[in-house]
């Protein structure tokens, strides 16, 4: 069973997942990175550009999903180095520090809250997130073009691309596609007809929506919605 709640860390989400049965749903690109806890291990989920299918038997997870663009400053590693990867936190931070954190989370009555505390502690050390990156996500999330967004932020497109690679793991056009996919999924899941979903999410037409869902989610929209059930 999957459950989530808003985190005390601004813009982040704390989630838990205890799968029932043998089916494992793929994780879809969403512009975010996650700090993960499972079976005594701390891991980092990098930014996805394609659906990620967990390997091995189903197991329980807890996670903190950071607001898009904020995790690299907390983790101390550019997002593009973790694109489409799941890595041990000990590969990024000193092993002794990670062992102490693992012991702390394992001893906690609620591992998800303990994991959230780790994220909050690190955020306090790192300082406030870059407001330009948040505004970038807001603009692209509203469906504005990359060129219009770059102009509003006062950034040249090359500089914007470099900043996006560091913060999101890919360029602004890919980020815009992923955020558009998330808009479309939210509309379709609310019962909006596919043709209307395509228009409101910013696609040229319904076939364009269908192609993008297949490319980014790995399956047709109808199959994806059915798997939600």
């Amino acid at each position: 069973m999957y459950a989530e709640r808003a985190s005390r860390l601004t813009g982040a989400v704390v989630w838990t997942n205890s799968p029932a049965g043998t089916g494992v749903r793929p994780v879809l690109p969403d512009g975010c990175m996650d700090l993960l806890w499972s079976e005594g291990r701390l891991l980092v989920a990098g930014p996805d550009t394609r659906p990620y299918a967990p390997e091995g038997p189903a197991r329980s997870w807890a996670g903190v999903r950071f607001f898009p663009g904020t995790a690299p400053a907390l983790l101390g590693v550019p997002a593009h180095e973790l694109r489409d990867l799941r890595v041990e936190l000990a590969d990024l931070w000193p092993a002794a520090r990670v062992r102490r954190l693992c012991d702390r989370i394992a001893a906690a009555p609620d591992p998800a809250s303990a994991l959230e505390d780790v994220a909050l502690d690190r955020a306090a050390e790192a300082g406030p997130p870059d407001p330009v990156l948040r505004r970038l996500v807001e603009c692209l999330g509203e469906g504005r073009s990359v060129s219009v967004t770059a102009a509003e932020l006062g950034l040249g497109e090359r500089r914007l691309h470099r900043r996006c690679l560091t913060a999101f793991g890919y360029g602004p056009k890919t980020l815009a596609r992923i955020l558009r996919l998330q808009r479309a999924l939210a509309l379709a899941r609310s019962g909006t007809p596919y043709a209307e979903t395509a228009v409101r999410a910013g696609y040229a037409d319904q076939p364009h929506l269908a192609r993008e869902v297949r490319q980014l989610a790995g399956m047709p929209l109808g199959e994806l919605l059915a798997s939600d059930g």
Side-chain angles (χ1 to χ4, degrees):
M1 177 183 296
Y2 177 84
E4 66 177 42
R5 62 170 174 83
S7 172
R8 289 171 286 149
L9 178 61
T10 302
V13 171
V14 178
W15 59 268
T16 56
N17 191 23
S18 300
T22 58
V24 179
R25 292 178 54 197
V27 179
L28 304 185
D30 59 5
C32 302
M33 294 172 58
D34 294 56
L35 181 62
L36 307 172
W37 169 260
S38 182
E39 298 182 351
R41 299 167 62 203
L42 278 168
L43 303 98
V44 174
D48 292 320
T49 61
R50 56 180 181 263
Y52 172 80
E55 298 179 351
R59 52 181 173 164
S60 296
W61 292 86
V64 176
R65 182 177 305 115
F66 298 101
F67 187 82
T70 60
L74 304 184
L75 298 172
V77 60
H80 63 82
E81 294 187 8
L82 303 177
R83 184 171 53 236
D84 294 317
L85 296 175
R86 272 50 177 176
V87 302
E88 300 280 349
L89 184 61
D91 292 339
L92 308 179
W93 289 4
R97 180 182 184 185
V98 175
R99 283 196 299 272
R100 290 195 297 271
L101 293 175
C102 287
D103 291 342
R104 170 180 165 186
I105 295 171
D110 180 8
S113 293
L115 188 66
E116 180 185 23
D117 289 338
V118 170
L120 285 163
D121 290 347
R122 183 65 193 103
E125 296 172 4
D130 185 346
V132 172
L133 295 176
R134 179 172 288 270
R135 184 58 187 155
L136 169 62
V137 173
E138 291 172 350
C139 288
L140 295 181
E142 293 167 358
R144 303 188 193 187
S145 69
V146 171
S147 59
V148 168
T149 299
E152 177 176 327
L153 297 177
L155 297 173
E157 291 197 32
R158 287 188 178 182
R159 186 180 174 197
L160 178 62
H161 188 83
R162 289 195 298 270
R163 293 190 69 167
C164 282
L165 285 179
T166 299
F168 306 102
Y170 33 66
K173 291 184 179 179
T174 298
L175 176 61
R177 288 179 65 206
I178 288 171
L179 295 178
R180 183 175 59 185
L181 170 70
Q182 292 298 322
R183 289 198 304 275
L185 292 179
L187 287 165
R189 285 166 174 156
S190 72
T192 305
Y194 292 176
E196 183 181 348
T197 290
V199 172
R200 290 176 58 184
Y203 294 94
D205 50 30
Q206 187 173 336
H208 184 202
L209 166 65
R211 290 194 301 273
E212 284 285 283
V213 171
R214 277 186 173 274
Q215 289 179 14
L216 291 173
M219 66 181 74
L221 180 55
E223 183 179 337
L224 181 59
L225 296 181
S227 71
D228 288 345

